[in-house]
Amino acid sequence: MPACRFCFTTYPREFFILGNGPRKDVCQRCGIEEGLIEESEAAMLFDAGLASSRLTLLSRRWAPMLWVLALWGMWFVILSDIPTWGMFSLIVLIIVSLVLPVNMMLNRAKYSALFSGLTPTHQRPPGH
Ligand SMILES: [Zn+2]
């Protein structure tokens, strides 16, 4: 993946503007800031609604994993010393920890489809 000359961030190729000279290796966001392209030309620069939809989808996918990590932390700190509830919650946590990655793998195609639905279509021109 190429890096932008201005912000030094690496993006996939479709996030860069096309052209030679001053337009070479400039991401769309920096292209707008430097005045090289108009905002309407930056297809991969998402508006606030699309960006928020993408962030919501991403957080919905990864939130259960963070919850399980937080619950493991809570179990080690609080619940591990309580005899009955500690064992019961440990069993539940182990089951959830084993089922969650499988569930995420099974839902990966659905997530990819939803995420690509929120990604603008990019036609790579010939020669790029
Ligand atoms: Zn940049």
Side-chain angles (χ1 to χ4, degrees):
M1 271 191 275
C4 174
R5 287 192 298 126
F6 292 103
C7 63
F8 306 111
T9 311
T10 54
Y11 293 113
R13 192 69 229 173
E14 56 264 26
F15 284 80
F16 283 81
I17 63 175
L18 303 171
N20 296 321
R23 295 170 64 104
K24 175 153 176 36
D25 289 341
V26 178
C27 72
Q28 292 183 350
R29 185 171 55 83
C30 292
I32 290 175
E33 286 173 2
E34 298 292 321
L36 297 171
I37 57 171
E38 296 295 317
E39 216 165 301
S40 59
E41 295 175 68
M44 300 305 281
L45 195 68
F46 312 125
D47 59 22
L50 187 60
S52 132
S53 301
R54 289 169 63 93
L55 187 63
T56 303
L57 190 63
L58 191 77
S59 57
R60 272 195 192 150
R61 176 158 173 83
W62 290 103
M65 201 60 104
L66 293 177
W67 270 109
V68 166
L69 284 175
L71 288 174
W72 271 111
M74 280 176 59
W75 186 85
F76 278 113
V77 172
I78 300 168
L79 289 171
S80 60
D81 295 335
I82 304 170
T84 308
W85 281 108
M87 184 58 72
F88 176 72
S89 58
L90 176 67
I91 292 168
V92 169
L93 263 177
I94 288 173
I95 291 171
V96 168
S97 300
L98 292 175
V99 167
L100 186 64
V102 174
N103 189 34
M104 285 183 77
M105 276 189 270
L106 291 175
N107 286 329
R108 192 175 151 202
K110 181 184 171 191
Y111 168 76
S112 298
L114 288 172
F115 207 77
S116 67
L118 294 174
T119 304
T121 52
H122 173 72
Q123 284 285 329
R124 184 173 289 191
H128 286 276

